[in-house]
Amino acid sequence: MSLLSPTIRTMLLANGEQSQKLPYFDPIPLVRLFNPMGPAVWLASELHADGNTLYGLADLGFGCPELGCFSLREIEGIRLAFGLSIERDHGFRTTHRLSFWAEAARVAHSIPDADLLLRRLERHARSAREIPPQDG
């Protein structure tokens, strides 16, 4: 069974086509894959025409997330203890572009820590908008 739904696959392929046409294309990651037993996380924003090569941000848990290509088949082929495998985060949603995620992950040294950082920043920005200005 594929980690990608037909809809996500279509969207990732469309981003891959856009990336070929526009050198500065900076899409929003569409899928988050993760190891339920360890620190590995992948944020994918594009799928190449071969149907296997994903592009995005990869974090294997060594403190140095990086942008690049990774194989969907290899990730789907990973077998973990207790019959588990790599999973897709069905609740993953973001408004941040891949370059923003990459910078946040570089600063935080991991995708999960970047996620926490970005959520804190969003909460702070939301609460700052909700506080009425004080008169002097």
Side-chain angles (χ1 to χ4, degrees):
M1 182 173 188
S2 179
L3 288 168
L4 306 179
S5 70
T7 301
I8 297 241
R9 179 178 290 277
T10 299
M11 293 169 65
L12 287 166
L13 282 166
N15 278 352
E17 290 172 10
Q18 283 294 100
S19 181
Q20 292 297 313
K21 295 175 190 173
L22 305 169
Y24 297 105
F25 184 59
D26 187 15
I28 292 172
L30 300 174
V31 65
R32 179 183 182 271
L33 306 174
F34 67 98
N35 176 342
M37 298 185 70
V41 178
W42 299 264
L43 296 181
S45 60
E46 301 171 29
L47 179 61
H48 292 198
D50 66 7
N52 175 54
T53 307
L54 291 164
Y55 180 80
L57 185 62
D59 178 3
L60 300 181
F62 303 119
C64 53
E66 61 183 53
L67 290 169
C69 292
F70 35 95
S71 168
L72 176 60
R73 279 192 289 278
E74 283 184 20
I75 292 171
E76 287 177 335
I78 295 172
R79 296 294 168 248
L80 305 168
F82 309 111
L84 296 174
S85 57
I86 302 302
E87 296 181 20
R88 184 176 99 213
D89 181 348
H90 292 274
F92 176 73
R93 303 283 183 278
T94 187
T95 57
H96 303 296
R97 302 222 172 256
L98 186 61
S99 62
F100 197 79
W101 271 100
E103 182 61 19
R106 185 190 64 75
V107 168
H109 302 289
S110 77
I111 292 173
D113 288 342
D115 190 28
L116 292 172
L117 176 65
L118 294 174
R119 288 177 194 270
R120 273 192 229 125
L121 289 171
E122 288 169 356
R123 277 194 306 273
H124 179 72
R126 239 186 340 271
S127 64
R129 286 190 302 267
E130 294 171 359
I131 299 171
Q134 299 280 328
D135 288 337

